[in-house]
Amino acid sequence: MENSIIKDILTQVIKDVDEAGTLQLECDYPFLYDKFTIYNMTGLEVLKKIQEESKANIFFKEETLHIHPHYSWQGTKVIYDFAINIEKSELTYNDNSKKKFLVIVEGTDQRGQVLKIKKGTEGGDKITVKMEGVSDVATLETRAEEELMINNYASYEGSVTGWLIPYVEPTCLAEIRDKEYEFRNGVYYVVAVETSFSSQGGKRKVTFGKKIV
């Protein structure tokens, strides 16, 4: 696929795997490949490859496949309070907000020429990302900005387990409240939800991404 953006690639994938023709695509992530080869790959493997390379936010909601910039698509807001509706916590708190990072994204065009894009602070912790088959400058800049945003944060990492109320799904915004550590309170992006049922009732394990507010 020459000169294909993510939307073009996934439109073709949907046509190949969606025999009923009911699956829709919503994509506002402008990521340009010089070349993207699909050989003996399932649709899930294609999605995984794109997500790993671009850091796009990829998820299914009802019958729509969504592709968006990191944390840009935001669902409803829920509240998790350690004193009320958190049964188990597997959270750690990391503060990288004061760290300095320098992200270097190296793209390679079809002639093997390397293009470098730098974002962040010179002298900071260096993060290098290599992207073969990508030479579009705007795409490389977007990738560098995404990597910088992912690493430069102060927030919880991990998950909490609660009950079936509140209803929560990926892309929801979860406000975490903890009277013991109020400086950690904030609104966090939900990246995964695992619902389980047993003789003791239903539970949801909610995994958080970056602190939004």
Side-chain angles (χ1 to χ4, degrees):
M1 296 181 181
E2 300 292 334
N3 297 323
S4 295
I5 60 172
I6 289 178
K7 185 174 182 180
D8 295 330
I9 297 169
L10 295 179
T11 297
Q12 185 60 48
V13 170
I14 287 175
K15 288 181 180 179
D16 292 342
V17 302
D18 183 28
E19 296 180 359
T22 58
L23 188 61
Q24 302 296 314
L25 175 65
E26 185 168 334
C27 175
D28 59 3
Y29 196 88
F31 198 94
L32 182 66
Y33 283 97
D34 295 334
K35 184 177 181 180
F36 189 95
T37 302
I38 298 176
Y39 177 73
N40 197 26
M41 297 173 67
T42 66
L44 182 60
E45 289 171 337
V46 173
L47 292 180
K48 184 178 180 181
K49 177 179 172 65
I50 291 175
Q51 197 282 325
E52 290 176 346
E53 293 182 350
S54 70
K55 295 301 181 183
N57 190 11
I58 301 178
F59 60 93
F60 286 93
K61 186 175 178 63
E62 297 175 349
E63 294 186 342
T64 300
L65 172 61
H66 288 264
I67 317 290
H68 303 289
H70 221 61
Y71 302 125
S72 66
W73 181 279
Q74 298 181 357
T76 57
K77 185 176 180 181
V78 296
I79 296 174
Y80 278 96
D81 191 318
F82 275 85
I84 299 175
N85 60 350
I86 294 178
E87 180 188 40
K88 179 182 178 181
S89 171
E90 297 176 274
L91 294 175
T92 57
Y93 189 80
N94 294 309
D95 188 353
N96 290 333
S97 62
K98 297 179 181 178
K99 284 188 177 181
K100 296 180 180 179
F101 293 94
L102 177 65
V103 176
I104 302 173
V105 177
E106 298 181 357
T108 307
D109 63 18
Q110 296 183 38
R111 295 175 297 175
Q113 183 177 353
V114 177
L115 298 88
K116 291 186 179 181
I117 297 295
K118 295 183 179 181
K119 295 284 183 179
T121 305
E122 291 285 351
D125 292 349
K126 186 182 295 185
I127 301 170
T128 302
V129 179
K130 298 181 183 292
M131 305 202 67
E132 296 184 5
V134 180
S135 62
D136 179 67
V137 173
T139 296
L140 297 175
E141 288 182 344
T142 296
R143 181 63 179 82
E145 290 168 356
E146 293 285 280
E147 191 69 30
L148 190 62
M149 180 177 65
I150 291 170
N151 286 278
N152 192 10
Y153 65 90
S155 69
Y156 279 117
E157 286 184 351
S159 63
V160 299
T161 299
W163 294 272
L164 298 184
I165 297 176
Y167 173 78
V168 61
E169 60 185 2
T171 74
C172 280
L173 301 180
E175 180 182 347
I176 297 182
R177 297 177 180 178
D178 186 350
K179 290 184 178 180
E180 188 173 354
Y181 300 101
E182 292 189 348
F183 72 95
R184 300 179 181 180
N185 291 350
V187 178
Y188 291 78
Y189 198 84
V190 175
V191 297
V193 178
E194 180 181 342
T195 303
S196 61
F197 296 91
S198 69
S199 59
Q200 298 177 339
K203 296 181 180 180
R204 295 193 205 279
K205 182 178 180 180
V206 182
T207 302
F208 302 116
K210 185 182 177 182
K211 183 178 180 181
I212 303 299
V213 180

